[in-house]
Amino acid sequence: MGKLVAGAILLFIAFGILLAAATFKSQRPGPVANMLRFLGYAVAVVAALILVGSTMVVIDPGEVGVRRAFGYVDPQPLLSGIRFVPPWSEIERYSTREEQWPTSGERVESIEALSGEQMAMHVEVSIRWQIDPIQAPKIFTEIGKEDQIRGAVLNAIRKGVRDGMVQFSINDISKRTQIATTMERLVDTSLVTTPNRDRHGVFPA
């Protein structure tokens, strides 16, 4: 939107300069009128380039864009490359690369959970996830921006771990794969949009 406004302002300025050049030429022809006309054309060219540039966005590799304007969200995602959009649009960008939580260097998340006998346990959790580019407009509509998505995922993890752990007794603690699968399913159902199942890695300690 900023580029659109800037281009329109420059076009208005270019029109004013060309009008002044025409008036000046009719009264006192000479190099000054020619210089004003050249300046007007130069400003008009710059304005045109800005206006054309305002319709182009570059989506980098590993990103997906969601176009929105005036309360409308385009259901078609903007995949990587040069894309042409209406100049009044705003673009929300998401990373489509695999995310890991906790991130490298952070402490492993330890979640308080209860077993089937209501015994308190500490469960260490890690997960890998990523956004499906095709679902990006739906994700934006239902959840929001990237920070909100991360918060929704982390809340789903915590809920899935607690709801999953309570389905097992303390004697089932060695069934790591079965427990992890149950937690993964519950994490999926806690999310508004279901992520790729093979991207989860929730493992109880």
Side-chain angles (χ1 to χ4, degrees):
M1 184 66 78
K3 288 183 179 180
L4 179 63
V5 173
I9 291 173
L10 284 178
L11 273 180
F12 182 77
I13 293 173
F15 177 77
I17 294 175
L18 290 174
L19 185 60
T23 303
F24 201 91
K25 184 178 181 180
S26 65
Q27 295 177 354
R28 298 178 62 183
V32 175
N34 293 334
M35 185 175 64
L36 285 174
R37 187 173 59 179
F38 175 79
L39 180 60
Y41 285 137
V43 174
V45 169
V46 171
L49 291 175
I50 292 176
L51 289 174
V52 172
S54 69
T55 66
M56 298 171 54
V57 294
V58 178
I59 307 298
D60 293 330
E63 281 187 345
V64 63
V66 176
R67 185 180 71 83
R68 58 190 174 96
F70 308 117
Y72 170 78
V73 177
D74 189 347
Q76 296 299 320
L78 300 175
L79 303 180
S80 58
I82 299 175
R83 305 297 171 191
F84 291 91
V85 299
W88 51 82
S89 300
E90 294 185 30
I91 308 300
E92 191 68 39
R93 298 170 186 266
Y94 296 101
S95 171
T96 58
R97 294 188 173 94
E98 185 176 87
E99 302 280 345
Q100 181 174 327
W101 181 81
T103 58
S104 179
E106 290 185 352
R107 293 180 57 186
V108 175
E109 177 81 2
S110 181
I111 298 176
E112 297 279 348
L114 298 175
S115 67
E117 302 90 351
Q118 299 300 297
M119 294 184 63
M121 304 179 63
H122 291 280
V123 182
E124 291 186 355
V125 179
S126 63
I127 189 170
R128 291 177 299 145
W129 59 279
Q130 70 182 143
I131 292 174
D132 181 358
I134 304 302
Q135 296 296 323
K138 182 181 179 183
I139 292 172
F140 175 78
T141 301
E142 295 183 352
I143 302 179
K145 298 182 179 181
E146 202 164 41
D147 289 342
Q148 294 170 298
I149 293 171
R150 187 172 288 106
V153 170
L154 299 188
N155 288 335
I157 294 169
R158 296 183 179 106
K159 185 178 186 301
V161 168
R162 293 190 179 100
D163 291 350
M165 199 66 243
V166 79
Q167 298 182 21
F168 296 90
S169 70
I170 195 69
N171 295 323
D172 295 328
I173 197 65
S174 60
K175 300 177 181 179
R176 298 170 64 91
T177 302
Q178 184 179 348
I179 294 173
T181 301
T182 300
M183 291 180 179
E184 178 184 347
R185 176 175 52 80
L186 291 170
V187 169
D188 280 352
T189 56
S190 296
L191 292 171
V192 178
T193 51
T194 304
N196 219 350
R197 292 186 62 83
D198 62 358
R199 294 299 179 184
H200 284 171
V202 182
F203 302 102

